[in-house]
């Protein structure tokens, strides 16, 4: 079935475009990107810190996009799509079959949906990406949205969550904390193999919206997902915003995990913007949210709290500056049956707090651009010093861009002995515009550290965009 993917995809597009009357009224945009990737990843089994084994990855990835607008004259009716086809020559097919969710060659339909809008109404039908304060997900289904002229609206959506075991699907947006599939274990009759991982997963939600009411806007949303007839995920989120350009801007939001009865995310931010400076303060909480049958809930489920304070300065001239203070509290609610729990709770255990800060500056003058960031943190995770320098220049009327990045870090992690020492990284990016519709790019990266010793990455990209 997956082998016929490009043909089926092209056939569907032809049918959708052929249905438009009159055909000459439509605007069509074609996008293509070719990526050649060469890099390594560290092997975990059969290796030691002194005997590092790097596994080669040699991938060819092709992105194909077809977008059509105004399929009916005078109507905001269109179609947008993106297909990814890839092959990994560093991963033989026989080896990939031994690992759940790993594929040496395949195709993923990232999104493909028809869209119609009229006044304050918008509807989308098909595979689509959905982003809000709760999550980023992909689903096959219908999304309807209406915003009245009074600034109050409603949105509803429903369909099937896109999972790695589905048709032309990727696991990138499926619920966290579970394997992509248990097909291999089920075929081998392994005890404990989970059939529900391959089951379809309906998801639906709704949201109340309001915006542009004297600077205030916000939303109240609800989402629920079912797996094998049982609730797998249930969330509710409230977000409020205030802002009217230069001056005071504020954001407050909470995302509740209704199954765990805990806030998955909470955020309060206040920012004051002026022409020459800006100051802001944030308070955040993050709690891991997994699929209900995730094994990670057995190990740890503790939140992390963080506060940030930042000041930006915009003096007259090409330079910009910022300074930031950071503080984090890592809650250590670990399963008491694990030996790690005794170590974390002992009197001589490392601190669960982490404090630090960062400073930076950036420069932009004509075709030259550069930035420097320095960050230091201490406490939970050990002492960490990070220095990051970037720079770039555009030549030949911006037809050729060269960018470079140097990174140096010193880490002394009290929990993980492999995260101790000096880490170095260098990256070079060259990009050349061939025509207004075509660009070619080359990226080279070299990393030296105690973890992988040394590894090299190379990426070649060719981008093409045409409007018909």
């Amino acid at each position: 079935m997956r082998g016929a993917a490009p043909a089926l995809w092209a056939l569907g597009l032809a049918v959708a475009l052929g249905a438009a009357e009159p055909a000459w009224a439509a605007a069509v945009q074609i996008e293509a990107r070719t990526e050649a990737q060469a890099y390594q990843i560290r092997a975990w089994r059969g290796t030691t810190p002194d005997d590092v084994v790097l596994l080669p990855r040699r991938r060819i990835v092709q992105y194909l996009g077809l977008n059509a607008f105004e399929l009916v004259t005078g109507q905001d009716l269109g179609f947008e799509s993106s297909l990814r086809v890839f092959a990994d020559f560093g991963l033989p097919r026989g080896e990939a079959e031994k690992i759940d969710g790993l594929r040496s060659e395949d195709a993923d339909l990232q999104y493909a949906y028809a869209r119609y809008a009229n006044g304050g109404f918008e509807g989308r039908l098909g595979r689509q990406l959905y982003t809000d304060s709760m999550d980023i997900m992909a689903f096959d289904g219908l999304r309807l949205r209406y915003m009245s002229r009074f600034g109050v609206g409603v949105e509803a959506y429903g369909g099937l969550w896109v999972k790695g075991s589905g048709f032309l699907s990727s696991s990138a947006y499926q619920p966290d904390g579970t394997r992509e599939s248990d097909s291999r274990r089920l075929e081998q009759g392994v005890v404990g193999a989970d059939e529900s991982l391959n089951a379809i997963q309906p998801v639906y939600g709704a949201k109340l919206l309001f915006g542009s009411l004297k600077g205030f806007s916000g939303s109240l949303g609800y989402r629920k997902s079912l797996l094998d007839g049982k609730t797998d995920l249930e969330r509710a989120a409230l977000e409020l915003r205030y802002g009217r350009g230069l001056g005071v801007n504020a954001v407050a939001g909470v995302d509740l995990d209704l199954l765990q009865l805990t806030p998955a995310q909470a955020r309060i931010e206040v920012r004051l913007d002026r022409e020459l400076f800006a100051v802001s303060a944030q308070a955040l909480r993050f709690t891991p949210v997994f699929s209900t049958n995730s094994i990670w809930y057995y190990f740890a489920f503790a939140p992390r709290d963080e506060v940030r304070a930042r000041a930006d300065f915009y003096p007259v001239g090409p330079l910009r500056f910022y300074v930031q203070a950071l503080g984090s509290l890592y809650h250590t609610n670990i399963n008491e049956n694990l030996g790690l729990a005794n170590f974390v709770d002992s009197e001589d255990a490392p601190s669960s707090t982490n404090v630090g800060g960062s400073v930076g500056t950036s420069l932009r003058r004509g075709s030259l651009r550069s930035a420097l960031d320095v960050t230091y943190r201490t406490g939970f995770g050990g002492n960490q010093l990070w220095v990051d320098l970037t720079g770039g220049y555009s030549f030949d009327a911006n037809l050729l861009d060269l960018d470079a990045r140097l990174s140096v870090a010193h880490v002394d992690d009290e929990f993980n002995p492999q995260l101790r020492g000096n880490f170095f990284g260098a990256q070079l990016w060259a990009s050349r515009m061939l025509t207004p519709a075509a660009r070619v790019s080359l990226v080279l990266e070299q990393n030296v550290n105690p973890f992988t010793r040394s590894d090299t990455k190379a990426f070649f990209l060719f981008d093409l965009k045409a409007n018909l």
Side-chain angles (χ1 to χ4, degrees), residues 147-430:
M147 199 73 180
S148 73
R149 59 188 179 90
F150 303 106
V152 179
V154 64
E155 180 181 78
Y157 55 89
L160 298 179
W161 206 309
V162 175
K163 303 169 61 175
S165 58
F167 174 70
L168 292 182
S169 299
S170 168
S171 61
Y173 300 107
Q174 75 182 61
D176 293 328
T178 58
R179 291 186 297 275
E180 180 176 302
S181 171
D182 248 356
S183 299
R184 182 179 62 86
R185 287 180 171 83
L186 291 170
E187 292 176 357
Q188 296 176 351
V190 176
V191 177
D194 188 357
E195 296 182 356
S196 68
L197 294 179
N198 294 343
I200 62 173
Q201 188 160 353
V203 59
Y204 59 89
K207 185 178 292 186
L208 296 175
L209 308 163
F210 70 91
S212 301
L213 300 177
K214 295 184 178 181
F216 289 93
S217 63
S219 64
L220 174 62
Y222 173 81
R223 178 179 302 157
K224 186 173 183 176
S225 176
L226 303 172
L227 181 62
D228 203 22
K230 301 177 181 178
T231 300
D232 184 61
L233 180 145
E234 191 172 14
R235 307 268 284 274
L238 173 66
E239 185 176 58
L240 300 173
R241 293 178 176 269
Y242 174 80
R244 308 185 74 171
L246 289 179
V248 177
N249 295 269
V251 178
V254 60
D255 171 14
L256 294 176
D257 181 352
L258 298 180
L259 295 182
Q260 301 291 328
L261 296 178
T262 58
Q265 302 177 64
R267 174 189 179 193
I268 298 177
E269 178 180 358
V270 179
R271 180 182 176 94
L272 175 64
D273 289 286
R274 289 288 186 259
E275 291 186 0
L276 296 179
F277 70 92
V279 292
S280 63
Q282 284 182 303
L284 308 152
R285 164 164 282 204
F286 305 99
T287 304
V289 177
F290 303 114
S291 179
T292 53
N293 57 356
S294 172
I295 193 173
W296 293 109
Y297 277 133
Y298 175 81
F299 295 101
F301 43 85
R304 172 171 65 91
D305 298 324
E306 186 161 302
V307 293
R308 305 171 186 171
R310 173 169 171 149
D312 292 83
F313 304 95
Y314 317 121
V316 177
L319 291 173
R320 300 291 183 265
F321 305 92
Y322 82 89
V323 59
Q324 180 175 235
L326 306 166
S328 300
L329 173 61
Y330 293 80
H331 297 266
T332 54
N333 301 338
I334 297 177
N335 189 334
E336 61 183 14
N337 294 320
L338 301 175
L340 180 62
N342 296 328
F343 175 70
V344 170
D345 294 334
S346 63
E347 294 183 358
D348 57 346
S351 171
S352 60
T353 60
N354 182 288
V355 296
S358 58
V359 295
T361 182
S362 64
L363 178 147
R364 180 173 287 273
R365 174 176 290 171
S367 298
L368 175 67
R369 54 194 174 272
S370 182
L372 174 66
D373 297 275
V374 179
T375 300
Y376 177 77
R377 304 196 70 162
T378 185
F380 187 89
N383 299 321
Q384 305 176 28
L385 175 64
W386 301 77
V387 180
D388 192 71
L389 175 65
T390 61
Y393 195 86
S394 298
F395 302 87
D396 196 11
N398 295 326
L399 295 179
L400 174 63
D401 294 317
L402 292 179
D403 289 273
R405 178 176 182 177
L406 295 174
S407 300
V408 179
H410 177 79
V411 180
D412 186 11
D413 194 310
E414 297 181 66
F415 281 106
N416 190 345
Q418 295 191 46
L419 293 180
R420 297 174 185 169
N422 297 316
F423 297 73
F424 304 93
Q427 189 178 83
L428 178 65
W429 178 298

Side-chain angles (χ1 to χ4, degrees), residues 79-96:
F79 178 83
E80 298 184 33
S81 65
S82 178
L83 175 72
R84 178 178 62 185
V85 182
F86 64 90
D88 191 337
F89 301 103
L91 178 66
R93 185 178 301 177
E95 293 185 10

Side-chain angles (χ1 to χ4, degrees), residues 36-41 54 58 386 388 403-408 423-430 441-449 452-461:
Q37 308 171 359
Y39 60 99
Q40 306 90 31
I41 58 176
L54 298 179
R58 305 289 184 265
W386 301 77
D388 192 71
D403 289 273
R405 178 176 182 177
L406 295 174
S407 300
V408 179
F423 297 73
F424 304 93
Q427 189 178 83
L428 178 65
W429 178 298
S441 304
L442 177 65
V443 183
L444 301 175
E445 181 177 324
Q446 177 65 44
N447 298 291
V448 178
N449 56 70
T452 58
R453 298 295 187 267
S454 175
D455 67 271
T456 304
K457 298 178 173 66
F459 301 89
F460 172 81
L461 302 91

